[in-house]
Amino acid sequence: MEQTFGLPRLNEAAPAFNAMTTHGRKTLEDYKGKWLVLFSHPADFTPVCTTEFIGFQNRKADFDAMNCELLGLSIDSHHSHNAWVLNIKEKFGVDIEFPIIEDLSMEVAKAYGMV
């Protein structure tokens, strides 16, 4: 039977995940008791995605104050993510302090209706 994917719905549990990130392995359970903003971007090293990540980082203290974690996602590898984070630091002077999920199989993106 073919699995169908869609957006999670109200009153449904968020899809569990266990994924490699720029901060090591993360699971949905790691965020229990907190708010979580899980956002995706199409590819590392792209201008719009870079400005979005810088924007999230610039507001990270505001999210922290609300007990809200940030978690990025793309289908690039965590090695690419790490190189991109270093590039953002080098070119823009901004440290990206939140993890970015490696999702080469698109398993997490599909589970959350991001693809």
Side-chain angles (χ1 to χ4, degrees):
M1 179 162 78
E2 184 177 321
Q3 186 174 4
T4 59
F5 299 97
L7 294 173
R9 297 180 183 168
L10 294 175
N11 291 324
E12 288 183 357
F17 61 83
N18 183 336
M20 179 56 71
T21 76
T22 53
H23 294 191
R25 191 151 292 279
K26 295 286 184 186
T27 67
L28 180 61
E29 193 68 19
D30 294 331
Y31 299 96
K32 188 173 184 172
K34 299 180 178 186
W35 292 102
L36 175 63
V37 175
L38 172 61
F39 62 98
S40 67
H41 65 98
D44 298 343
F45 296 97
T46 59
V48 171
C49 296
T50 299
T51 58
E52 289 172 349
F53 270 61
I54 291 171
F56 273 117
Q57 181 59 49
N58 288 340
R59 301 300 302 262
K60 186 174 181 310
D62 297 328
F63 286 101
D64 290 344
M66 294 182 286
N67 194 33
C68 183
E69 299 283 333
L70 297 170
L71 181 59
L73 175 144
S74 92
I75 61 170
D76 291 320
S77 72
H78 72 277
H79 300 294
S80 177
H81 295 336
N82 285 327
W84 183 40
V85 165
L86 289 173
N87 182 267
I88 291 171
K89 170 69 174 168
E90 184 179 286
K91 302 290 184 198
F92 301 99
V94 176
D95 282 315
I96 302 299
E97 299 172 338
F98 51 84
I100 308 166
I101 292 176
E102 167 188 89
D103 196 23
L104 296 168
S105 68
M106 295 189 280
E107 183 178 330
V108 179
K110 287 178 181 176
Y112 280 85
M114 294 174 165
V115 178

